[in-house]
Amino acid sequence: IIDKTAFAMAQQDVRYYLNGLMLEVSSNYLRAVATDGHRLAYCEKETNADIADIKQVILPRKGVLELVRLLNDTDEKAKITLGSNHLQVEFNELRLTSKLIDGRFPDYNRVIPTDGENMITADRDQLRQALIRASILSNEKYRGIRLTLEKNLIKLQAQNPDQEEADVELEIVYSGDDIEIGFNVNYMLDVLNVTSSDMVQAALRDSNSSFLITYPDQTDCKYVIMPMRL
């Protein structure tokens, strides 16, 4: 769940509580959420924990990156201990202790849209390749791409300051409204790169609303991307 969420952490944001990964643990689930204010990544797994109440902590960015590095080298079970101002993870005779960020994480449930009636279903790798092709001519600073939805079709358009344009089309499963929306292509590619699922789904209400990305075979993870004006 860290691999599938940590990419959305903020970097050096003045809202210091965003510069880390929020871990929420209860007696039956472990949940990770990260956001930089423009996108959000959410993932949870069922677990058994010796805990009476729901506990929420924010692990700082450096602690997250070090924990990922250590966990990638082992298949051993990890023991997690949550203190009032630190988190400790033990495995393989190793012990990582990290201070926690003292702050209140935003209410992520308010950010995850539930009213996206326009549903897209696409081949994940085909969509990823189409986005990569279009992104070559996007503005290097803002990375904005215009996405147009029509019946069973996505059109991707990018333009750079030299007035060079890229137009890419991809067949998808879609029967909703005609919608045109702008977004940061890197945010979408980050989401498509953290899974090996064959298919991806996205739901959105209109061109001004954020869209929710999910995977049919991985219902425990959700991703939200805010639109951008182009």
Side-chain angles (χ1 to χ4, degrees):
I1 67 171
I2 296 175
D3 280 341
K4 292 179 180 178
T5 53
F7 67 86
M9 293 186 296
Q11 297 188 51
Q12 299 179 325
D13 198 295
V14 292
R15 298 164 293 181
Y16 59 92
Y17 48 83
L18 299 184
N19 299 319
L21 183 74
M22 191 280 285
L23 293 174
E24 185 176 286
V25 62
S26 76
S27 59
N28 57 6
Y29 69 79
L30 175 64
R31 186 175 293 165
V33 184
T35 180
D36 60 8
H38 305 288
R39 54 176 171 176
L40 179 141
Y42 164 110
C43 199
E44 71 172 29
K45 294 289 183 184
E46 290 184 3
T47 186
N48 294 313
D50 182 17
I51 185 169
D53 302 313
I54 295 175
K55 189 168 180 64
Q56 196 178 94
V57 299
I58 306 174
L59 186 62
R61 183 181 186 85
K62 283 186 176 179
V64 173
L65 298 179
E66 183 64 17
L67 182 56
V68 168
R69 188 182 71 81
L70 294 173
L71 288 172
N72 281 338
D73 293 334
T74 181
D75 294 323
E76 295 294 315
K77 286 192 173 184
K79 179 185 177 184
I80 303 171
T81 306
L82 294 175
S84 57
N85 58 7
H86 74 278
L87 176 141
Q88 191 174 86
V89 184
E90 294 179 77
F91 53 90
N92 270 10
E93 299 180 354
L94 279 170
R95 178 184 297 164
L96 172 70
T97 303
S98 172
K99 284 187 175 180
L100 299 172
I101 293 176
D102 183 16
R104 185 168 180 81
F105 200 78
D107 182 359
Y108 56 86
N109 286 310
R110 292 179 57 190
V111 178
I112 298 174
T114 57
D115 56 353
E117 65 265 16
N118 296 297
M119 175 68 75
I120 304 159
T121 303
D123 180 282
R124 182 190 65 88
D125 193 56
Q126 287 181 4
L127 178 59
R128 191 174 70 88
Q129 294 297 333
L131 289 166
I132 291 172
R133 290 199 301 274
S135 71
I136 293 170
L137 292 181
S138 66
N139 185 303
E140 289 186 11
K141 183 177 181 181
Y142 300 107
R143 302 296 284 165
I145 277 189
R146 178 175 285 104
L147 181 151
T148 303
L149 287 172
E150 300 175 1
K151 181 176 174 60
N152 293 333
L153 187 69
I154 276 182
K155 295 180 179 178
L156 301 169
Q157 185 182 51
Q159 188 177 57
N160 64 21
D162 298 325
Q163 303 302 311
E164 297 172 313
E165 285 192 12
D167 289 285
V168 180
E169 294 188 359
L170 178 68
E171 290 186 6
I172 57 166
V173 178
Y174 181 71
S175 58
D177 302 332
D178 287 358
I179 294 176
E180 187 175 280
I181 190 169
F183 65 95
N184 184 311
V185 66
N186 286 356
Y187 294 169
M188 179 75 86
L189 287 172
D190 283 344
V191 172
L192 297 177
N193 285 334
V194 292
T195 182
S196 58
S197 295
D198 293 332
M199 305 301 292
V200 59
Q201 292 182 324
L204 68 165
R205 188 179 71 242
D206 54 41
S207 59
N208 298 313
S209 62
S210 57
F211 49 99
L212 176 68
I213 303 170
T214 55
Y215 294 101
D217 60 345
Q218 292 183 11
T219 56
D220 50 3
C221 295
K222 302 175 185 177
Y223 304 94
V224 181
I225 297 177
M226 298 284 287
M228 67 184 295
R229 292 186 178 181
L230 297 176

